[in-house]
Amino acid sequence: MKRNSSNSLIKFLIIIILIAIVGVVGFIYLSPQFEQNKPEIKFTDKKEFWNLKDSLNMNISDESGIKYYKVTYKDDKNETVLEDKVLDDAKKSINLEIKAPKLDMFFKGKNVSIIVEAVDKSKWNFFEGNSIKKEFKIKIDKQSPVANVIGNSFAIRRGGSAVVVVQVKDENLKDAYISFNNEERFELIPFYKKDFYIALIAWPVTIEKFDRVNLVAIDEANNKTFTKVPLYIRPLKIKNENINISSSFVNNISRNVLEKSGLDVPSTVKDIFVKENRTLRKMNTDIIKEITRKFMDKEKIDNFQISAFKRLSGSKTVAGYADRRHYYYENEKIDQAWHLGMDWASIKHASIKASNAGKVIFNDFLGIYGNTIIIDHKLGLQTLYAHTSKSNVTVGENIKANSIIANTGSTGAVFGDHLHFGVLVQGIEVNPLEWMDRNWIKTRITNVITEAKKVINSK
């Protein structure tokens, strides 16, 4: 009887011990204090090249917290510890700015390594924590891109256009563009021969002060070259115009345009007009820029020929480019806006012809512009036809010069039937009068391109 009792006790104790062991093991595996995941080490942005001047931005993270890390720089001749740190308070995320050590001025190395070690505060691994050691191999590039201006228009007028031909060259080129005042960016289009590019640029009428136009080239190592585009500047005569807004116009036109654009309509006449004229106008011009830059032809070009654009046949000009409109309601000024095209009025539903061949990249209702067509003519040059009543073209269609594309109308935020004709340079409305002048096109655009090709051929 005693033996049976003793055996039962032993079995009971064994079960208790097994349960305890399972509990301990379960606790170790399931407890956050014993988590087994190694810390993560990564660059905060993709980094394959380094100029040894900028910092390398890196992040170390771990769910239990980092208690120790070490960063080592290594090349063919040097091995330097850049950071070696034990943290009093473990951190779940650490951002590092790794700077290159002081190197011999004649250092010619092409490849280096950044070795990062980290240990977390987990009690796993016999309370030593999870550790990781990671090596990042980076190519050294200290050479800035070649960025030369080959040719450009002599001058640019506020609200006007110019052409620039450039050479950009780098084995690891990341980006290159033309910058206006560091506010507007104009894409480069491959031109004529390898490493040469061309762009039409604009001085937006909304930017009063001309500061600087730069060719900007950046490589993968973040070496940058800024080259000034030499341009004389010309002022623009601005016409100020006061316009009285009626309740009838707001309730019949502005309200309808807001509703058709999917926007809520405010309760007062003043707020309705301001929302249509300011908020919706900004939305519409943003769409124009987005569409034109996305769908403009960016294929390599060798030549660029364009005819002077013609006004609507038999029409009268009722508004011009860069009219500064001041809007009044019940003798109170409530808003203002630029008019950025030519308004031509003729008979109702007059036929609209495209002066030049191109590709239709937009054909839809566009808020204040109403039914609108945009045609791309290559080199970042587009034309816009707004307030139309009928369209004869579809998006993606290539049209010929002098083809009838639409009829005038009164769609959008307008008083009556007319055509709003706009010329765009990469989505920015520029002065159409320049592009309606055959001599201006020849002397400011095509002649510059011809001379630039001569310079390229001489290289």
Side-chain angles (χ1 to χ4, degrees):
M1 195 72 178
K2 286 185 177 181
R3 181 174 294 179
N4 289 337
S5 298
S6 177
N7 289 339
S8 298
L9 180 60
I10 292 172
K11 288 179 182 180
F12 177 75
L13 291 174
I14 290 173
I15 291 171
I16 293 298
I17 292 170
L18 289 174
I19 291 173
I21 291 172
V22 169
V24 170
V25 171
F27 173 79
I28 291 174
Y29 273 92
L30 298 176
S31 171
Q33 298 179 47
F34 288 88
E35 62 91 9
Q36 304 166 50
N37 297 321
K38 294 181 178 181
E40 289 189 6
I41 303 171
K42 60 183 179 181
F43 284 115
T44 53
D45 51 358
K46 184 180 178 182
K47 205 69 181 176
E48 297 178 10
F49 299 88
W50 193 15
N51 58 21
L52 297 179
K53 294 180 293 184
D54 297 335
S55 298
L56 295 176
N57 297 315
M58 186 170 283
N59 177 265
I60 308 174
S61 62
D62 188 87
E63 57 192 271
S64 65
I66 304 297
K67 68 178 181 182
Y68 168 77
Y69 68 88
K70 179 181 178 181
V71 180
T72 305
Y73 166 94
K74 182 181 179 182
D75 60 37
D76 293 339
K77 297 181 179 179
N78 306 289
E79 184 168 335
T80 305
V81 175
L82 302 177
E83 289 195 52
D84 190 356
K85 194 167 186 179
V86 177
L87 302 175
D88 293 331
D89 296 316
K91 294 184 178 180
K92 291 189 175 183
S93 180
I94 300 171
N95 292 317
L96 302 177
E97 290 187 4
I98 300 170
K99 298 183 181 297
K102 291 184 178 180
L103 300 170
D104 186 280
M105 63 182 295
F106 299 108
F107 175 75
K108 300 293 184 182
K110 295 295 183 182
N111 297 280
V112 301
S113 291
I114 297 295
I115 303 165
V116 183
E117 302 171 58
V119 181
D120 67 16
K121 73 166 190 175
S122 169
K123 292 181 169 54
W124 186 252
N125 194 27
F126 300 102
F127 298 91
E128 293 293 323
N130 302 293
S131 64
I132 188 172
K133 182 176 182 180
K134 199 167 184 179
E135 180 176 0
F136 299 89
K137 294 184 180 294
I138 305 171
K139 298 175 183 178
I140 300 303
D141 180 2
K142 299 189 290 180
Q143 185 69 43
S144 296
V146 172
N148 299 318
V149 176
I150 303 300
N152 59 273
S153 304
F154 176 74
I156 190 170
R157 188 179 299 276
R158 183 180 176 187
S161 313
V163 69
V164 183
V165 179
V166 301
Q167 179 188 32
V168 180
K169 189 176 182 181
D170 191 278
E171 288 183 359
N172 307 311
L173 187 66
K174 179 182 180 182
D175 196 10
Y177 57 94
I178 303 290
S179 166
F180 183 94
N181 281 16
N182 290 323
E183 294 182 58
E184 288 289 350
R185 171 192 172 114
F186 297 93
E187 303 297 334
L188 298 175
I189 297 172
F191 174 68
Y192 194 46
K193 291 185 178 180
K194 187 176 183 295
D195 299 325
F196 292 94
Y197 302 85
I198 188 170
L200 286 177
I201 64 170
W203 177 356
V205 73
T206 53
I207 299 177
E208 182 176 358
K209 182 183 177 183
F210 179 98
D211 184 15
R212 185 182 177 102
V213 174
N214 279 329
L215 166 63
V216 182
I218 307 169
D219 66 19
E220 294 287 356
N222 205 37
N223 297 300
K224 299 177 182 178
T225 302
F226 298 90
T227 305
K228 181 180 179 180
V229 178
L231 287 164
Y232 286 91
I233 62 173
R234 300 285 186 263
L236 174 68
K237 185 177 180 180
I238 294 170
K239 175 186 174 184
N240 285 286
E241 182 181 12
N242 295 335
I243 298 176
N244 292 313
I245 300 299
S246 67
S247 298
S248 175
F249 176 84
V250 172
N251 287 319
N252 293 324
I253 304 298
S254 299
R255 177 184 293 275
N256 178 60
V257 170
L258 287 174
E259 289 175 346
K260 198 168 181 180
S261 300
L263 298 180
D264 293 334
V265 180
S267 57
T268 68
V269 169
K270 175 182 173 180
D271 289 341
I272 291 172
F273 179 79
V274 170
K275 186 168 185 177
E276 171 248 296
N277 190 59
R278 187 182 303 174
T279 305
L280 184 57
R281 182 184 297 274
K282 173 69 165 54
M283 290 171 59
N284 296 157
T285 54
D286 286 347
I287 289 172
I288 290 172
K289 183 181 288 189
E290 178 186 353
I291 291 294
T292 51
R293 296 196 174 191
K294 181 177 180 179
F295 294 107
M296 74 181 199
D297 193 320
K298 299 174 186 175
E299 294 297 317
K300 175 178 173 289
I301 64 172
D302 295 322
N303 294 291
F304 180 69
Q305 296 294 329
I306 199 90
S307 298
F309 290 93
K310 300 173 184 176
R311 66 186 293 161
L312 181 69
S313 179
S315 67
K316 177 183 178 181
T317 300
V318 292
Y321 179 81
D323 288 354
R324 189 62 170 154
R325 293 176 168 178
H326 305 268
Y327 298 96
Y328 289 81
Y329 176 67
E330 295 183 344
N331 297 319
E332 176 193 358
K333 182 177 178 180
I334 58 174
D335 207 8
Q336 60 187 27
W338 292 99
H339 183 257
L340 299 179
M342 303 297 296
D343 281 357
W344 294 321
S346 178
I347 60 173
K348 276 192 175 184
H349 299 169
S351 296
I352 302 169
K353 289 185 178 180
S355 300
N356 287 278
K359 183 177 182 179
V360 179
I361 60 174
F362 183 84
N363 187 3
D364 206 344
F365 180 80
L366 187 62
I368 64 168
Y369 291 87
N371 298 331
T372 302
I373 297 169
I374 300 176
I375 299 173
D376 181 63
H377 303 283
K378 296 187 177 182
L379 197 57
L381 180 71
Q382 301 94 20
T383 47
L384 178 147
Y385 308 82
H387 311 308
T388 63
S389 60
K390 177 186 175 184
S391 168
N392 300 322
V393 296
T394 57
V395 171
E397 180 179 350
N398 290 302
I399 60 150
K400 296 179 180 179
N402 297 315
S403 57
I404 297 175
I405 61 170
N407 295 88
T408 62
S410 55
T411 56
V414 293
F415 292 97
D417 186 296
H418 72 277
L419 169 66
H420 173 98
F421 172 73
V423 177
L424 309 165
V425 169
Q426 295 198 24
I428 295 173
E429 287 202 69
V430 295
N431 195 339
L433 293 178
E434 293 182 339
W435 294 95
M436 295 171 67
D437 183 339
R438 181 174 60 183
N439 185 63
W440 181 89
I441 293 173
K442 183 175 185 294
T443 57
R444 305 308 202 278
I445 306 297
T446 54
N447 282 0
V448 175
I449 294 173
T450 299
E451 291 303 312
K453 290 170 73 173
K454 292 179 182 178
V455 174
I456 294 170
N457 287 330
S458 68
K459 286 184 172 289

